[in-house]
Amino acid sequence: MHASISCRGNAGIKALVKTEEAWVPTAKDTSLYIRPFMFATEAALGVHMAKSYKFMILCCPVGAYYATGLDPVKILVENELVRAVAGGTGFTKCGGNYAGSIAGQVKAEKLGYSQVLWLDGNERKYVEEVGTMNIMFKIDGEIWTAPTVGTVLPGVTRDSMIHLLKDWGYNVREERLAIDDLMKAGHDGKLEEVFGTGTAAVISPVGELRFKDDVVVINGGKTGELTQKLYDTLTGIQWGRLEDKYGWTTVIE
Ligand SMILES: *Cc1c(COP(=O)(O)O)cnc(C)c1O
């Protein structure tokens, strides 16, 4: 069997995927989602670091994320609620981070938006992440994405995209970007593409951003050329359609 796994090598995951190989779907763009997780199992009350934990790896066959091609989403910029604060746990994939993000997600959905663009927790000024994805902006030919300074999760998809972009000659600026500057770039016609990056969706094009009463439509609400190229390239590598010169895939046989 050949199964490409896009998470970076781990003996337990390899053994599990081998054991469960009958569950690996083969139809186009389907995959076996692999989710390692861990929770405390100590039978005690009290707020302290637990002495015992259970580590598990969950596998789930999933259908094509985009059944009919990449589909741009509308995003609400959240200016009150925050996902992560400096000194907190935003940099890690920790359950508590998700609990803290749900009120914002509900609010966005009520207003007809599918995800939240989170601003930094101190000043509510700099863009950080979108929903549970990292986010990138193509402004005047350059790529901007938030630096992973403690409140931003250093996603593996973000890292892969940065490698591809740099190889293609793009200037990638891992710098703080103020929401006001972002909206201004949108109104000045310089905000060319916006996309979220994460394992499940790989890439999620953003067609519209709303900050308070200000709305910016990106690339006419359509998937950008670079966004599509990044998606095709990373999924091409994952599926073995393209050469993997980075050593990102692992063949399990
Ligand atoms: C999972 C996650 C990401 C994306 O990480 P990947 O490793 O690319 O899947 C980004 N931000 C948050 C908050 C996440 O939970």
Side-chain angles (χ1 to χ4, degrees), residues 83 93 98 129 131-134 153 155-158 197-199:
R83 187 194 80 91
K93 232 172 166 63
Y98 297 94
E129 299 200 62
T132 56
M133 286 184 280
N134 295 111
L153 190 122
V156 68
T157 319
R158 174 188 182 279
T197 67
T199 298

Side-chain angles (χ1 to χ4, degrees), residues 104-122:
Q105 179 64 28
V106 170
K107 183 174 156 188
E109 282 170 15
K110 276 191 186 145
L111 293 169
Y113 290 81
S114 56
Q115 293 274 348
V116 173
L117 176 63
W118 299 106
L119 301 179
D120 75 284
N122 290 353

Side-chain angles (χ1 to χ4, degrees), residues 135-196:
I135 185 154
M136 299 193 177
F137 307 92
K138 180 165 178 257
I139 304 173
D140 217 6
E142 289 186 316
I143 312 300
W144 290 73
T145 192
T148 51
V149 285
T151 51
V152 174
L153 190 122
V156 68
T157 319
R158 174 188 182 279
D159 184 67
S160 302
M161 297 310 185
I162 290 175
H163 272 87
L164 293 174
L165 288 162
K166 286 186 174 168
D167 268 10
W168 296 340
Y170 282 96
N171 193 20
V172 181
R173 303 180 65 157
E174 294 181 63
E175 293 169 38
R176 300 220 290 179
L177 173 64
I179 183 64
D180 290 339
D181 294 338
L182 177 66
M183 297 305 280
K184 185 173 181 306
H187 291 300
D188 292 349
K190 291 184 175 164
L191 182 58
E192 294 153 353
E193 297 187 33
V194 179
F195 51 90

